[in-house]
Amino acid sequence: MAEIRFRSDVAVTLVQHVGDDAGVCRAARVSTLGAAAADTAEAAGLVRYLVKHRHGTPFEHGLMTFLVEAPIFVFREWHRHRVGWNYSETSGRYRELEPVFWVPGLERKLKPAPGYKAARPEFVEGDDADHEAIQTSCRLAYRGAWQSYQVMLACGVALEVARAVLPVGIYSSMYATANPRSLMHFLSLRTHEPEAANVSYPQAEIEDCARQMEAAFARLYPLTHAAFCEFGRRAP
Amino acid sequence: MAEIRFRSDVAVTLVQHVGDDAGVCRAARVSTLGAAAADTAEAAGLVRYLVKHRHGTPFEHGLMTFLVEAPIFVFREWHRHRVGWNYSETSGRYRELEPVFWVPGLERKLKPAPGYKAARPEFVEGDDADHEAIQTSCRLAYRGAWQSYQVMLACGVALEVARAVLPVGIYSSMYATANPRSLMHFLSLRTHEPEAANVSYPQAEIEDCARQMEAAFARLYPLTHAAFCEFGRRAP
Amino acid sequence: MAEIRFRSDVAVTLVQHVGDDAGVCRAARVSTLGAAAADTAEAAGLVRYLVKHRHGTPFEHGLMTFLVEAPIFVFREWHRHRVGWNYSETSGRYRELEPVFWVPGLERKLKPAPGYKAARPEFVEGDDADHEAIQTSCRLAYRGAWQSYQVMLACGVALEVARAVLPVGIYSSMYATANPRSLMHFLSLRTHEPEAANVSYPQAEIEDCARQMEAAFARLYPLTHAAFCEFGRRAP
Amino acid sequence: MAEIRFRSDVAVTLVQHVGDDAGVCRAARVSTLGAAAADTAEAAGLVRYLVKHRHGTPFEHGLMTFLVEAPIFVFREWHRHRVGWNYSETSGRYRELEPVFWVPGLERKLKPAPGYKAARPEFVEGDDADHEAIQTSCRLAYRGAWQSYQVMLACGVALEVARAVLPVGIYSSMYATANPRSLMHFLSLRTHEPEAANVSYPQAEIEDCARQMEAAFARLYPLTHAAFCEFGRRAP
């Protein structure tokens, strides 16, 4: 029986991509004026124009595929993004999952802040006793679930039945593919930036994934990313 | 602390709907010939024609909203249907979940059939000892997870953190809205019918949901449902 | 041979619908707190909250189907809305189109305003000579195209070939179905409101369609529509 | 004033792409067994398995962008494909269109075949007189429309108004982006193959585009394309 591991991080790796700021400009030029942007300054102006005036389709002709390792509760939120996202996730019907479970790291804010409101969920650090209690509670529950899973599998029970006891804190993996526009929409909802036009309050773990994707996005599309930030972090 | 309950069924309730076979015919008539179907025989012929020749869009102008109660592992599969489906699910970030957990019923086939293949996952009944072992394993894991969840909430831990220990066998609720076309696509993948043009092998619990929706669909769209069955149970 | 007709208006008729503000609240309550809104004041507060904080999914569980009569150039723009919209349009491959063509009405602003910019396309009235020239030019082109279409059909040429000469100003019909969320997205892009958070500059003819749909929407969902207007006319 | 040109072909050029059969296998392996396909034979087997059993999501992690030149009546059909397709088309509001118009080539079948049925639209060649009549009718209509368009532009009429007289036979351009799955869906509906599981009857001009894309697809994804053909030319 594999040994249980605990983990607090999420991992997002860029697997493949195609497209860049120049490609955005070429797509936009099909729609409007003939000549492609001749230089970076002109391209930057065009990209700003497109983002500012919400011409979104030129940002759809690109692709980034990420390999994501995160707990199921992150994937549950992620899969609610239906448009411009494609997913291939590890199936608990077809393979035995691995015993890797999420526990909050020491820096994870654990408790609702004073004056907590559902519309603006903000959290504060816990003290050592809180962390101690959580670590104990999580590990106990995870170990119990994993043991039940293994007992059932040892009895010959189908994977699809036995998995019912596995917590949403277990890690899973997926390929997730987006285009720049659908990625920007994700970032607008799954990152917290006080100066955004619409301030979002995502759960920390999906925000962590979003930040890793945003770093890759900013590297691949520096002009688009700059315009995204300039105009309120909204998808065009 | 609420008492833990165990449950083996799934519940799908039709909440609202609009559209019927006559509406399908009217939508089709906008596309082609002017006069609407004069009687049921003519409507039946038109609906058969549309399904047989895969004219799908006339089946998109209707709506069925279902209230679904099922374990999270069912919702995980369901939410992979992105097109023509809308969801509002109970949020474990915003409210404390209830201690209702899925255990397989006595009639649930538990073990891979001899000669089991992933492409055609078929199962056989377990014996009494199997059921005994599963019930014990499931309940043990669920009780442990629920206790850890409660302990953390009692410490003031945020809902979004504490829920990590809850198993995918816990029940959740959602509103799920589809149109006749997207519902037929769901039915084609989530019901097992040996005589279908493409035989699917869904997990029993999501198939149970699908069957309940199919009953409502057959009642609301008898001509469309008959054509769906006649032509291989494929969405047009 | 049918007589050519000229027309300047567009017509949008509500064909069927289901859902209302109370239904939005019920869908939201599945996600969060249990009890449905007890009265209108509470419902109004909940709907405002959802729109303000961009909780969009509760607005997807409803349907409005419109019968639209408009020139093809309007449908060309409309069909670029891919998400949450379903269309069944008259097919020029399957039926002979009718000789009804769009000409601008007297109130239609015809000429780019001084200082015209593509990002803010604004127009001014033409004078009588302009209108005279346009009416003559349009009618001449339409009559010529229609005559060619008829000649080819009389020769036995297939509809799908003969239609190539028909201008995008010819009227067509479609069923168009949306939910409140996708309709609000359409309205945000296809109506011009100086005080909107993002000011759009739609072509007048599709805006006319949008305004007719907005009137129906405001009647069916008064609370949602009020919140939509209050918070910048953006889809949640 | 630019000289009118007539054209009978459509042009589809692959602009960019990412992904291949090996990538399909990698995406599938995330879902199921760990090891990637070691060699081509194993990859071919896996790809066949995925297509045969309709596991479609591994085919979504790729991208092909095409530059398309075709008449508007082709784009009108194309844009009805909403899922997994992204478009940036030349805008007649923002730029003056060019006077290039479609006329049927000599090989184009022009007339409904004897016993023509809408469900199986088949055509036969026209004779020389037919071609003569069509060429004359088309060119006459196109010239008249173009002249009216030019007259109105010369009067200072807005592009968006003047374009109303332009026929759907005028050429336009677009970037169209798809993934392998959405492309296969397009091919299943927009190519005519008598041995397909569902025989489609597309208009010749969009089929011509589809064939050009299929050639690129077969070159980039030889195993996927072979499986697509083997299993009835249906998207998995």
Side-chain angles (χ1 to χ4, degrees):
Chain A
M1 179 166 145
E3 200 174 348
I4 289 184
R5 286 188 295 129
F6 300 102
R7 187 172 167 183
S8 301
D9 68 316
V10 294
V12 177
T13 312
L14 183 67
V15 170
Q16 66 179 359
H17 67 94
V18 68
D20 54 18
D21 289 320
V24 170
C25 293
R26 282 191 299 272
R29 291 302 189 192
V30 171
S31 300
T32 55
L33 294 173
D39 56 33
T40 303
E42 194 184 335
L46 177 53
V47 165
R48 282 186 78 248
Y49 174 91
L50 296 169
V51 172
K52 183 176 180 188
H53 295 287
R54 295 168 78 201
H55 293 288
T57 60
F59 298 96
E60 296 177 4
H61 305 283
L63 172 150
M64 288 159 278
T65 299
F66 300 98
L67 174 61
V68 186
E69 296 173 43
I72 283 178
F73 65 79
V74 170
F75 286 16
R76 290 252 296 149
E77 295 189 328
W78 202 316
H79 291 169
R80 302 300 307 279
H81 294 256
R82 292 157 294 180
V83 179
W85 280 93
N86 308 303
Y87 308 110
S88 291
E89 188 195 342
T90 299
S91 166
R93 288 188 78 200
Y94 292 121
R95 59 188 286 191
E96 186 180 331
L97 297 185
E98 292 177 20
V100 184
F101 297 93
W102 176 82
V103 291
L106 282 175
E107 78 300 341
R108 176 58 154 95
K109 292 177 178 174
L110 294 172
K111 298 179 139 183
Y116 175 90
K117 297 177 70 171
R120 289 186 291 282
E122 295 179 303
F123 300 94
V124 293
E125 275 81 11
D127 59 23
D128 286 357
D130 292 326
H131 271 286
E132 179 73 21
I134 289 173
Q135 294 292 332
T136 304
S137 293
C138 285
R139 286 163 199 247
L140 202 65
Y142 291 147
R143 285 186 198 282
W146 186 252
Q147 187 166 341
S148 286
Y149 182 59
Q150 288 295 322
V151 165
M152 285 189 277
L153 294 186
C155 288
V157 170
L159 286 164
E160 67 178 36
V161 173
R163 68 169 169 176
V165 298
L166 293 176
V168 295
I170 196 169
Y171 275 72
S172 183
S173 299
M174 70 167 169
Y175 265 31
T177 290
N179 62 56
R181 188 184 194 186
S182 57
L183 181 60
M184 284 187 276
H185 185 72
F186 187 96
L187 296 178
S188 77
L189 290 170
R190 303 300 183 179
T191 59
H192 174 74
E193 289 285 351
E195 75 276 14
N198 290 89
V199 181
S200 295
Y201 293 83
Q203 183 159 345
E205 287 68 36
I206 198 167
E207 180 171 17
D208 195 346
C209 295
R211 295 291 182 188
Q212 295 183 45
M213 292 195 291
E214 184 165 355
F217 173 55
R219 197 171 64 243
L220 296 172
Y221 295 82
L223 301 177
T224 301
H225 182 255
F228 170 69
C229 293
E230 179 183 353
F231 294 109
R233 296 179 66 84
R234 276 203 307 257
Chain B
M1 177 165 147
E3 199 174 347
I4 289 183
R5 285 189 296 129
F6 300 101
R7 187 173 167 182
S8 301
D9 68 315
V10 293
V12 178
T13 312
L14 183 67
V15 169
Q16 66 180 359
H17 67 94
V18 69
D20 55 17
D21 289 319
V24 170
C25 294
R26 282 191 298 271
R29 291 302 188 192
V30 171
S31 301
T32 56
L33 294 173
D39 55 32
T40 304
E42 195 183 332
L46 177 53
V47 166
R48 284 185 77 247
Y49 173 92
L50 295 169
V51 172
K52 183 177 179 187
H53 295 287
R54 297 168 75 200
H55 293 289
T57 59
F59 298 96
E60 296 179 3
H61 305 284
L63 171 150
M64 288 160 278
T65 298
F66 300 97
L67 174 62
V68 186
E69 297 173 43
I72 283 178
F73 66 79
V74 169
F75 286 16
R76 290 251 296 149
E77 295 189 327
W78 202 316
H79 291 169
R80 302 301 308 278
H81 294 256
R82 292 158 293 180
V83 180
W85 280 94
N86 307 303
Y87 308 110
S88 291
E89 189 195 340
T90 299
S91 166
R93 288 188 79 200
Y94 292 120
R95 59 189 286 191
E96 186 181 331
L97 297 185
E98 292 177 21
V100 183
F101 297 93
W102 177 83
V103 290
L106 282 176
E107 76 302 340
R108 176 59 154 93
K109 293 178 177 175
L110 294 173
K111 298 179 137 182
Y116 176 89
K117 298 177 69 171
R120 287 186 291 282
E122 294 180 304
F123 300 94
V124 293
E125 274 81 10
D127 58 23
D128 286 358
D130 292 326
H131 271 284
E132 180 73 21
I134 289 172
Q135 294 293 332
T136 304
S137 294
C138 285
R139 286 161 198 248
L140 202 64
Y142 290 146
R143 285 186 198 282
W146 186 251
Q147 187 167 341
S148 286
Y149 182 59
Q150 288 297 322
V151 165
M152 286 189 278
L153 294 187
C155 288
V157 170
L159 287 165
E160 67 178 35
V161 173
R163 67 167 170 177
V165 300
L166 293 177
V168 296
I170 198 169
Y171 276 72
S172 183
S173 300
M174 71 168 170
Y175 266 30
T177 290
N179 62 56
R181 189 185 193 186
S182 58
L183 181 59
M184 284 188 275
H185 186 71
F186 187 96
L187 296 178
S188 76
L189 290 170
R190 303 302 183 179
T191 60
H192 174 74
E193 288 285 351
E195 75 276 14
N198 290 89
V199 181
S200 295
Y201 293 84
Q203 183 159 345
E205 286 70 36
I206 199 167
E207 180 170 17
D208 195 346
C209 294
R211 295 292 182 186
Q212 295 182 45
M213 292 195 291
E214 184 165 355
F217 173 55
R219 197 172 63 245
L220 296 172
Y221 295 83
L223 300 177
T224 301
H225 182 256
F228 170 68
C229 294
E230 179 183 352
F231 294 109
R233 296 180 65 86
R234 276 203 307 257
Chain C
M1 179 165 146
E3 200 173 348
I4 289 185
R5 286 188 295 130
F6 301 102
R7 186 173 169 181
S8 301
D9 67 316
V10 293
V12 177
T13 312
L14 183 68
V15 170
Q16 67 180 358
H17 67 93
V18 69
D20 55 17
D21 289 320
V24 170
C25 293
R26 280 191 299 270
R29 291 302 188 192
V30 171
S31 301
T32 56
L33 294 174
D39 56 33
T40 304
E42 195 184 331
L46 176 54
V47 165
R48 283 185 78 248
Y49 174 91
L50 295 169
V51 171
K52 183 176 180 188
H53 296 287
R54 298 168 76 201
H55 294 288
T57 58
F59 299 97
E60 296 178 2
H61 305 282
L63 171 152
M64 287 159 280
T65 298
F66 300 97
L67 174 62
V68 185
E69 296 174 43
I72 283 178
F73 66 78
V74 170
F75 286 16
R76 291 252 295 148
E77 296 188 328
W78 202 315
H79 290 169
R80 302 301 307 279
H81 294 256
R82 293 158 293 180
V83 179
W85 280 94
N86 307 303
Y87 308 110
S88 292
E89 189 195 341
T90 299
S91 166
R93 290 188 77 201
Y94 293 120
R95 58 188 287 191
E96 186 180 331
L97 297 184
E98 293 177 21
V100 184
F101 297 93
W102 177 83
V103 291
L106 282 176
E107 78 300 342
R108 176 57 155 98
K109 293 177 177 175
L110 294 172
K111 298 180 138 183
Y116 175 90
K117 298 177 68 170
R120 289 185 291 281
E122 294 180 301
F123 301 94
V124 294
E125 274 80 11
D127 59 21
D128 286 358
D130 292 326
H131 271 285
E132 180 73 21
I134 288 173
Q135 295 292 331
T136 305
S137 293
C138 284
R139 286 162 198 247
L140 203 63
Y142 291 147
R143 286 188 197 281
W146 186 252
Q147 187 166 341
S148 286
Y149 181 60
Q150 288 296 322
V151 165
M152 286 190 277
L153 294 186
C155 288
V157 171
L159 287 164
E160 67 178 36
V161 172
R163 67 167 170 178
V165 299
L166 293 176
V168 297
I170 197 170
Y171 276 72
S172 183
S173 300
M174 70 167 170
Y175 265 32
T177 290
N179 62 57
R181 188 184 193 184
S182 58
L183 180 60
M184 283 187 276
H185 185 72
F186 187 97
L187 297 178
S188 76
L189 290 170
R190 304 299 184 181
T191 60
H192 175 74
E193 289 285 352
E195 74 276 13
N198 291 88
V199 181
S200 295
Y201 293 84
Q203 183 158 346
E205 287 70 35
I206 198 167
E207 180 170 16
D208 196 345
C209 295
R211 295 290 183 189
Q212 295 183 45
M213 292 194 292
E214 184 165 355
F217 173 55
R219 198 171 64 245
L220 296 172
Y221 294 82
L223 300 178
T224 301
H225 182 256
F228 170 69
C229 294
E230 179 182 353
F231 295 108
R233 296 180 65 85
R234 277 203 306 257
Chain D
M1 177 166 146
E3 199 174 349
I4 289 184
R5 286 188 296 129
F6 300 101
R7 186 173 169 182
S8 301
D9 68 314
V10 294
V12 177
T13 311
L14 183 68
V15 170
Q16 67 179 358
H17 67 93
V18 69
D20 55 17
D21 289 320
V24 170
C25 293
R26 281 191 298 272
R29 292 302 188 192
V30 171
S31 301
T32 55
L33 295 173
D39 57 33
T40 304
E42 195 183 333
L46 177 54
V47 166
R48 285 185 77 247
Y49 174 90
L50 295 169
V51 172
K52 182 176 180 188
H53 295 287
R54 298 169 75 201
H55 293 289
T57 60
F59 299 96
E60 296 178 3
H61 305 283
L63 172 151
M64 288 161 279
T65 298
F66 300 97
L67 174 61
V68 185
E69 296 173 43
I72 283 178
F73 65 79
V74 169
F75 286 16
R76 290 253 295 149
E77 295 188 329
W78 202 316
H79 290 169
R80 302 301 308 278
H81 294 255
R82 293 158 292 180
V83 180
W85 279 94
N86 307 302
Y87 308 110
S88 291
E89 189 194 341
T90 299
S91 166
R93 289 188 78 199
Y94 292 121
R95 58 188 287 189
E96 187 181 331
L97 297 185
E98 293 176 21
V100 184
F101 297 92
W102 177 82
V103 291
L106 283 175
E107 78 300 341
R108 176 58 153 97
K109 293 177 178 177
L110 294 173
K111 298 180 138 182
Y116 175 91
K117 298 177 69 169
R120 289 186 291 282
E122 293 179 304
F123 300 95
V124 294
E125 275 80 10
D127 59 22
D128 285 358
D130 292 327
H131 272 284
E132 180 73 20
I134 288 173
Q135 295 292 331
T136 304
S137 294
C138 284
R139 285 160 199 249
L140 201 65
Y142 291 147
R143 285 187 199 282
W146 186 252
Q147 188 166 340
S148 287
Y149 182 61
Q150 288 296 322
V151 165
M152 286 189 277
L153 293 186
C155 288
V157 171
L159 286 165
E160 66 177 37
V161 172
R163 68 168 169 175
V165 299
L166 293 176
V168 296
I170 197 170
Y171 276 72
S172 183
S173 300
M174 70 168 171
Y175 266 30
T177 290
N179 62 55
R181 189 185 192 184
S182 58
L183 180 60
M184 285 187 275
H185 186 72
F186 188 96
L187 296 178
S188 76
L189 290 169
R190 303 301 184 179
T191 60
H192 175 73
E193 289 285 352
E195 74 277 13
N198 290 88
V199 181
S200 295
Y201 292 84
Q203 184 159 345
E205 287 69 36
I206 199 167
E207 180 170 16
D208 195 345
C209 295
R211 295 291 183 187
Q212 293 183 46
M213 292 194 290
E214 185 165 354
F217 173 55
R219 196 171 65 245
L220 296 172
Y221 294 82
L223 300 177
T224 301
H225 182 256
F228 171 68
C229 294
E230 179 182 354
F231 294 109
R233 296 178 66 84
R234 277 203 307 257

PDB file of all heavy atoms in Angstrom, chain D residues 25-40:
ATOM      1  N   CYS D  25      -2.431  11.404 -27.327  1.00  0.00           N
ATOM      2  CA  CYS D  25      -2.143  10.270 -26.434  1.00  0.00           C
ATOM      3  C   CYS D  25      -1.737  10.755 -25.046  1.00  0.00           C
ATOM      4  O   CYS D  25      -2.156  10.185 -24.034  1.00  0.00           O
ATOM      5  CB  CYS D  25      -1.034   9.408 -27.028  1.00  0.00           C
ATOM      6  SG  CYS D  25      -1.539   8.551 -28.544  1.00  0.00           S
ATOM      7  N   ARG D  26      -0.929  11.804 -25.015  1.00  0.00           N
ATOM      8  CA  ARG D  26      -0.526  12.317 -23.704  1.00  0.00           C
ATOM      9  C   ARG D  26      -1.734  12.812 -22.907  1.00  0.00           C
ATOM     10  O   ARG D  26      -1.853  12.555 -21.714  1.00  0.00           O
ATOM     11  CB  ARG D  26       0.500  13.444 -23.869  1.00  0.00           C
ATOM     12  CG  ARG D  26       1.917  12.944 -24.151  1.00  0.00           C
ATOM     13  CD  ARG D  26       2.942  14.069 -24.035  1.00  0.00           C
ATOM     14  NE  ARG D  26       2.706  15.135 -24.996  1.00  0.00           N
ATOM     15  CZ  ARG D  26       3.183  15.179 -26.230  1.00  0.00           C
ATOM     16  NH1 ARG D  26       3.945  14.201 -26.686  1.00  0.00           N
ATOM     17  NH2 ARG D  26       2.911  16.192 -27.021  1.00  0.00           N
ATOM     18  N   ALA D  27      -2.629  13.528 -23.580  1.00  0.00           N
ATOM     19  CA  ALA D  27      -3.830  14.013 -22.890  1.00  0.00           C
ATOM     20  C   ALA D  27      -4.671  12.845 -22.391  1.00  0.00           C
ATOM     21  O   ALA D  27      -5.211  12.870 -21.281  1.00  0.00           O
ATOM     22  CB  ALA D  27      -4.650  14.911 -23.813  1.00  0.00           C
ATOM     23  N   ALA D  28      -4.775  11.800 -23.204  1.00  0.00           N
ATOM     24  CA  ALA D  28      -5.560  10.629 -22.791  1.00  0.00           C
ATOM     25  C   ALA D  28      -4.908   9.933 -21.612  1.00  0.00           C
ATOM     26  O   ALA D  28      -5.597   9.427 -20.717  1.00  0.00           O
ATOM     27  CB  ALA D  28      -5.705   9.660 -23.963  1.00  0.00           C
ATOM     28  N   ARG D  29      -3.592   9.931 -21.600  1.00  0.00           N
ATOM     29  CA  ARG D  29      -2.882   9.243 -20.516  1.00  0.00           C
ATOM     30  C   ARG D  29      -3.038   9.956 -19.187  1.00  0.00           C
ATOM     31  O   ARG D  29      -2.924   9.345 -18.127  1.00  0.00           O
ATOM     32  CB  ARG D  29      -1.398   9.100 -20.873  1.00  0.00           C
ATOM     33  CG  ARG D  29      -1.114   8.145 -22.025  1.00  0.00           C
ATOM     34  CD  ARG D  29      -1.634   6.757 -21.737  1.00  0.00           C
ATOM     35  NE  ARG D  29      -1.184   5.800 -22.762  1.00  0.00           N
ATOM     36  CZ  ARG D  29      -1.675   4.585 -22.882  1.00  0.00           C
ATOM     37  NH1 ARG D  29      -2.620   4.160 -22.082  1.00  0.00           N
ATOM     38  NH2 ARG D  29      -1.228   3.781 -23.830  1.00  0.00           N
ATOM     39  N   VAL D  30      -3.265  11.247 -19.216  1.00  0.00           N
ATOM     40  CA  VAL D  30      -3.568  11.932 -17.963  1.00  0.00           C
ATOM     41  C   VAL D  30      -4.845  11.355 -17.360  1.00  0.00           C
ATOM     42  O   VAL D  30      -4.966  11.184 -16.153  1.00  0.00           O
ATOM     43  CB  VAL D  30      -3.742  13.452 -18.189  1.00  0.00           C
ATOM     44  CG1 VAL D  30      -4.286  14.132 -16.923  1.00  0.00           C
ATOM     45  CG2 VAL D  30      -2.424  14.086 -18.588  1.00  0.00           C
ATOM     46  N   SER D  31      -5.803  11.015 -18.237  1.00  0.00           N
ATOM     47  CA  SER D  31      -7.085  10.511 -17.752  1.00  0.00           C
ATOM     48  C   SER D  31      -6.992   9.073 -17.264  1.00  0.00           C
ATOM     49  O   SER D  31      -7.694   8.681 -16.338  1.00  0.00           O
ATOM     50  CB  SER D  31      -8.136  10.556 -18.874  1.00  0.00           C
ATOM     51  OG  SER D  31      -8.299  11.872 -19.329  1.00  0.00           O
ATOM     52  N   THR D  32      -6.136   8.291 -17.917  1.00  0.00           N
ATOM     53  CA  THR D  32      -6.175   6.864 -17.590  1.00  0.00           C
ATOM     54  C   THR D  32      -4.796   6.361 -17.161  1.00  0.00           C
ATOM     55  O   THR D  32      -4.274   6.795 -16.167  1.00  0.00           O
ATOM     56  CB  THR D  32      -6.712   6.066 -18.785  1.00  0.00           C
ATOM     57  OG1 THR D  32      -5.905   6.370 -19.928  1.00  0.00           O
ATOM     58  CG2 THR D  32      -8.145   6.451 -19.065  1.00  0.00           C
ATOM     59  N   LEU D  33      -4.225   5.484 -17.924  1.00  0.00           N
ATOM     60  CA  LEU D  33      -2.982   4.875 -17.460  1.00  0.00           C
ATOM     61  C   LEU D  33      -1.819   5.826 -17.595  1.00  0.00           C
ATOM     62  O   LEU D  33      -1.786   6.674 -18.481  1.00  0.00           O
ATOM     63  CB  LEU D  33      -2.712   3.594 -18.242  1.00  0.00           C
ATOM     64  CG  LEU D  33      -3.779   2.540 -17.955  1.00  0.00           C
ATOM     65  CD1 LEU D  33      -3.601   1.345 -18.848  1.00  0.00           C
ATOM     66  CD2 LEU D  33      -3.721   2.147 -16.485  1.00  0.00           C
ATOM     67  N   GLY D  34      -0.823   5.651 -16.736  1.00  0.00           N
ATOM     68  CA  GLY D  34       0.230   6.628 -16.630  1.00  0.00           C
ATOM     69  C   GLY D  34       1.145   6.752 -17.837  1.00  0.00           C
ATOM     70  O   GLY D  34       1.385   7.848 -18.325  1.00  0.00           O
ATOM     71  N   ALA D  35       1.635   5.658 -18.354  1.00  0.00           N
ATOM     72  CA  ALA D  35       2.701   5.756 -19.332  1.00  0.00           C
ATOM     73  C   ALA D  35       2.183   6.240 -20.683  1.00  0.00           C
ATOM     74  O   ALA D  35       1.127   5.815 -21.147  1.00  0.00           O
ATOM     75  CB  ALA D  35       3.372   4.395 -19.504  1.00  0.00           C
ATOM     76  N   ALA D  36       2.929   7.142 -21.292  1.00  0.00           N
ATOM     77  CA  ALA D  36       2.570   7.596 -22.632  1.00  0.00           C
ATOM     78  C   ALA D  36       2.848   6.475 -23.621  1.00  0.00           C
ATOM     79  O   ALA D  36       3.595   5.538 -23.350  1.00  0.00           O
ATOM     80  CB  ALA D  36       3.371   8.840 -23.000  1.00  0.00           C
ATOM     81  N   ALA D  37       2.208   6.583 -24.777  1.00  0.00           N
ATOM     82  CA  ALA D  37       2.407   5.568 -25.814  1.00  0.00           C
ATOM     83  C   ALA D  37       3.877   5.543 -26.202  1.00  0.00           C
ATOM     84  O   ALA D  37       4.482   6.569 -26.483  1.00  0.00           O
ATOM     85  CB  ALA D  37       1.536   5.884 -27.023  1.00  0.00           C
ATOM     86  N   ALA D  38       4.431   4.341 -26.202  1.00  0.00           N
ATOM     87  CA  ALA D  38       5.871   4.209 -26.412  1.00  0.00           C
ATOM     88  C   ALA D  38       6.227   4.305 -27.892  1.00  0.00           C
ATOM     89  O   ALA D  38       7.301   4.763 -28.256  1.00  0.00           O
ATOM     90  CB  ALA D  38       6.362   2.886 -25.850  1.00  0.00           C
ATOM     91  N   ASP D  39       5.341   3.871 -28.734  1.00  0.00           N
ATOM     92  CA  ASP D  39       5.677   3.883 -30.169  1.00  0.00           C
ATOM     93  C   ASP D  39       4.428   4.138 -30.990  1.00  0.00           C
ATOM     94  O   ASP D  39       3.324   4.255 -30.459  1.00  0.00           O
ATOM     95  CB  ASP D  39       6.342   2.565 -30.566  1.00  0.00           C
ATOM     96  CG  ASP D  39       5.443   1.381 -30.220  1.00  0.00           C
ATOM     97  OD1 ASP D  39       4.201   1.538 -30.282  1.00  0.00           O
ATOM     98  OD2 ASP D  39       5.973   0.327 -29.863  1.00  0.00           O
ATOM     99  N   THR D  40       4.612   4.213 -32.270  1.00  0.00           N
ATOM    100  CA  THR D  40       3.510   4.584 -33.144  1.00  0.00           C
ATOM    101  C   THR D  40       2.399   3.542 -33.142  1.00  0.00           C
ATOM    102  O   THR D  40       1.218   3.887 -33.163  1.00  0.00           O
ATOM    103  CB  THR D  40       4.033   4.799 -34.579  1.00  0.00           C
ATOM    104  OG1 THR D  40       5.066   5.778 -34.519  1.00  0.00           O
ATOM    105  CG2 THR D  40       2.924   5.296 -35.479  1.00  0.00           C
TER     106      THR D  40
END
